[in-house]
Amino acid sequence: MNKRVTYTQHYLSEALISLMAEKDYASITIRNIVEKAGVNRSTFYLHYYDKDDLLNQTASGVLTALRSAMRNPSYTHESARKDYEESGKPISSAVALFEHIRQHAAFYTIMMNVKNFPVQLDQVIKSELLAFTTDALQASFSSGGMMGLIYYWLNHQMQETAEEMALWLTRAALYPLNRPEA
């Protein structure tokens, strides 16, 4: 994709999220968005049909990046347990997950309370967890826990580092009933 297109879409997305932090989504106009982004209205319409399209494409892009973060680097339960027991290292993809959340904190802080986004996020997390288990109940349970951690972290101004959150998740995932300390 052209760099100019990427930058324009980024500025429009950032403008929308910024405006959503200031006021209700329903009251945000295209004019508000383009003024905040510093682009022309016609430029907006080259990329998006309306503000809903912008919001949907923004969410889709962030969730695609989340999928990528959760997949790379990959791990197995055995390798994660070995890394944790030998050196106290968290699951590497859990670190990537929380780094992703940290990088997009403004987006997630707003979107966790908007429309169907939490449901979409839960579906992404569940589908990625199903790569490690065929048990849909286990994936659903684990996804719910991860959603809870994300809510907690965002609502507490991300006081912990991404690595600290990943370490907590690692302990809970590897030792759900008896979490040994590092």
Side-chain angles (χ1 to χ4, degrees):
M1 187 182 296
N2 178 325
K3 259 187 180 180
R4 186 178 296 174
V5 169
T6 302
Y7 286 129
T8 300
Q9 291 176 340
H10 172 78
Y11 289 125
L12 289 166
S13 293
E14 291 294 316
L16 177 61
I17 297 303
S18 176
L19 288 165
M20 288 173 71
E22 298 169 12
K23 58 186 181 176
D24 184 54
Y25 177 75
S27 67
I28 298 171
T29 65
I30 301 298
R31 175 184 217 134
N32 299 143
I33 296 168
V34 297
E35 285 176 359
K36 187 107 175 155
V39 301
N40 294 323
R41 190 177 183 92
S42 60
T43 301
F44 176 92
Y45 287 112
L46 284 174
H47 301 281
Y48 305 103
Y49 296 113
D50 55 22
K51 71 178 182 180
D52 290 338
D53 186 34
L54 169 59
L55 183 62
N56 290 335
Q57 286 193 43
T58 299
S60 178
V62 172
L63 290 175
T64 297
L66 174 65
R67 282 183 191 279
S68 180
M70 290 183 73
R71 289 180 183 165
N72 297 304
S74 64
Y75 73 97
T76 64
H77 189 270
E78 293 77 24
S79 68
R81 187 175 283 230
K82 181 180 177 199
D83 285 347
Y84 179 77
E85 288 174 356
E86 290 179 2
S87 59
K89 289 171 48 177
I91 296 170
S92 52
S93 58
V95 175
L97 163 78
F98 286 106
E99 280 295 328
H100 166 84
I101 299 295
R102 185 189 56 72
Q103 289 171 357
H104 301 280
F107 171 84
Y108 281 103
T109 299
I110 297 298
M111 294 300 291
M112 292 302 273
N113 299 307
V114 172
K115 292 187 178 184
N116 294 325
F117 184 78
V119 172
Q120 292 173 322
L121 177 60
D122 185 55
Q123 289 172 344
V124 167
I125 293 171
K126 269 191 262 189
S127 71
E128 292 306 312
L129 291 174
L130 284 169
F132 299 98
T133 181
T134 57
D135 188 336
L137 285 173
Q138 183 179 15
S140 183
F141 177 80
S142 296
S143 178
M146 291 170 76
M147 293 282 293
L149 285 175
I150 293 167
Y151 274 114
Y152 173 88
W153 199 38
L154 292 170
N155 289 331
H156 289 89
Q157 290 72 47
M158 299 184 303
Q159 294 175 15
E160 299 83 2
T161 66
E163 182 140 327
E164 288 170 329
M165 292 301 293
L167 191 55
W168 197 96
L169 177 59
T170 297
R171 289 181 191 135
L174 296 177
Y175 309 99
L177 299 177
N178 184 14
R179 295 185 310 123
E181 295 299 320

